[in-house]
Amino acid sequence: MSRNPVRNALGRETLARGACPCLAEPMETGDGLLARIVPSGLIPIDAFAALCAAARTHGNGLMEITARGSLQVRGLNETSAPRFASAVETLDFAFDEHVPVVANPLPTDPAARIRASGIASATRAAIAARALCLAPKVSVVIDDGGPISLDTLAADIRLRAVDPGESSGLAVSLGGDGDTATPLGVTTPHIAPALVADLLAVLADYGPQARMRDVVAREGAAPFMRIAGDRVAPLKERPATRAMEAIGLHRLHDGSCAIGVALPFGQAQALDLIALSQIAGANGADWVALAPQRSLLLGPIGEMTAFALGTAADTLGFVVDARDARRRIAACAGAPACASGYIPARQLAAQIAERLPQGDFALHVSGCPKGCARPRPAPLTIVGTSHGADFICGGEVRHLSGDALSTDDLVARAVQRIVAESEDA
């Protein structure tokens, strides 16, 4: 683990993580080992059900979808983790084992301007061929410009389909999300995979822990422009950022549909995911796609089937309405599942969601000062600390004594603060 302090989303100094948990190298947490899988495409629905069954057999049955659309399995141990990995290896789906290349989850979106999955596949192959030594968290995002936006995802390299008036097709930017990444220019889908690999090779030259945002902040974009050369043309205008929402009905190119649902605060029981996949499969769906913002998509299905499946998902406890208060709260696992957690973040989040007023107020409940659940500051953050909890509101930290502060007290104070801020707005 790197011992260099960094300033996180809560404005606190914490220790930078040197690696990400993966299937072969799970990470120790409060409830055992945690393994992360980054699917590189659609998962056959039977394989998804088998994956969930393996998580229940070898872990504690809790599964998570992250903000970036990765899958996490909790509660493994030194004996069961290798068995879980072996079970996953037998299943019929591909996943990223090196640099994650995140693409839009819908396979045949009629609104998409490019075929992101094909470019992503070629990009993975180009990166693998270079055998680069890169920092564990380096990633690439390929956004097809369709309705499920990837603008909120930060990445070392971003490719984004531009308006039809831009003949080159893909805007290339470095080190950030849709708002903060540094534009490099526009390129073509054919050139993009090799260009991404070359840009990552330049990044690797700065060392095995280098991240694009830091290198660009220090050196500027010139080293990357030199390697890009005439493969990029000037970008007329940065693409406008779009709101992303995977929840709801999505029409596919062949006239069928997919339905998107979200896991409450990113977590669900394996049994509930198995039940959902079985109901979807019985109604014609043959794949599952993990999506950003802790969501998943099931398809292809008919429109009427989608409404029935949405009802079933609601009954199982999944989020099926984008206006659901649980979508306005980012919460990590918290105590006791996370060894770093001081407060039960998801338990608090669930209780607060039940009492939230209508509106679009965003809340972040973080078990510790690392702030893993939300990379950007929220209007209000509850953060667990060694003395109990703090409220962070508008950059101001308000300390709350942990001596007599119960869960009910935290919930009441959070709701009171949200109501007051909503009325002021």
Side-chain angles (χ1 to χ4, degrees), residues 94 185 194 243 374:
R374 182 182 168 99

Side-chain angles (χ1 to χ4, degrees), residues 34-308:
L34 179 147
R36 181 179 297 162
I37 301 169
V38 185
S40 54
L42 303 179
I43 306 175
I45 202 157
D46 290 342
F48 181 74
L51 173 62
C52 296
R56 184 168 180 262
T57 298
H58 302 293
N60 62 11
L62 285 176
M63 302 181 70
E64 297 170 335
I65 298 178
T66 70
R68 301 180 69 83
S70 301
L71 183 69
Q72 295 186 161
V73 173
R74 305 192 69 95
L76 302 166
N77 58 48
E78 292 184 0
T79 300
S80 68
R83 294 174 181 170
F84 174 71
S86 296
V88 173
E89 294 285 357
T90 67
L91 300 178
D92 181 25
F93 75 98
F95 51 91
D96 289 338
E97 298 182 83
H98 302 292
V99 176
V101 179
V102 181
N104 300 82
L106 286 176
T108 55
D109 186 345
R113 298 174 185 146
I114 59 169
R115 186 171 172 265
S117 60
I119 299 172
S121 180
T123 301
R124 293 184 187 101
I127 296 171
R130 301 297 292 269
L132 301 172
C133 184
L134 295 162
K137 290 181 177 290
V138 166
S139 65
V140 177
V141 162
I142 303 175
D143 189 337
D144 64 11
I148 299 183
S149 166
L150 304 185
D151 284 333
T152 61
L153 302 186
D156 292 82
I157 299 177
R158 302 182 58 83
L159 303 178
R160 161 76 188 278
V162 294
D163 292 335
E166 294 277 6
S167 59
S168 295
L170 284 170
V172 185
S173 55
L174 309 174
D177 57 25
D179 286 324
T180 63
T182 300
L184 195 68
V186 287
T187 191
T188 66
H190 177 70
I191 290 173
L195 175 61
V196 169
D198 288 345
L199 293 171
L200 289 178
V202 175
L203 179 63
D205 288 341
Y206 288 91
Q209 296 302 319
R211 297 298 303 277
M212 190 67 77
R213 63 178 180 270
D214 302 319
V215 174
V216 171
R218 186 174 65 249
E219 307 287 342
F224 303 97
M225 285 296 300
R226 283 195 293 271
I227 197 66
D230 60 5
R231 290 180 291 178
V232 296
L235 179 65
K236 295 178 183 177
E237 185 178 358
R238 178 194 287 266
T241 56
R242 297 135 41 233
M244 192 234 69
E245 189 51 76
I247 294 177
L249 188 70
H250 300 274
R251 299 192 182 280
L252 305 178
H253 188 71
D254 61 1
S256 62
C257 300
I259 185 173
V261 303
L263 279 60
F265 314 114
Q267 188 175 86
Q269 290 286 341
L271 278 176
D272 292 331
L273 288 166
I274 292 170
L276 180 63
S277 62
Q278 288 177 337
I279 295 169
N283 285 277
D286 58 24
W287 52 257
V288 171
L290 304 191
Q293 304 300 341
R294 303 173 176 86
S295 305
L296 60 83
L297 297 144
L298 304 106
I301 52 178
E303 185 171 343
M304 295 308 296
T305 300
F307 289 114

Side-chain angles (χ1 to χ4, degrees), residues 279-365:
I279 295 169
N283 285 277
D286 58 24
W287 52 257
V288 171
L290 304 191
Q293 304 300 341
R294 303 173 176 86
S295 305
L296 60 83
L297 297 144
L298 304 106
I301 52 178
E303 185 171 343
M304 295 308 296
T305 300
F307 289 114
L309 186 55
T311 301
D314 184 36
T315 301
L316 289 167
F318 295 97
V319 180
V320 299
D321 186 341
R323 299 167 297 179
D324 192 303
R326 291 171 292 179
R327 291 293 276 175
R328 293 153 55 199
I329 304 175
C332 63
C338 177
S340 300
Y342 293 102
I343 58 174
R346 285 199 173 118
Q347 177 186 342
L348 284 169
Q351 294 181 27
I352 292 170
E354 293 176 353
R355 298 172 57 181
L356 276 185
Q358 291 294 320
D360 57 1
F361 198 93
L363 171 68
H364 180 186
V365 186

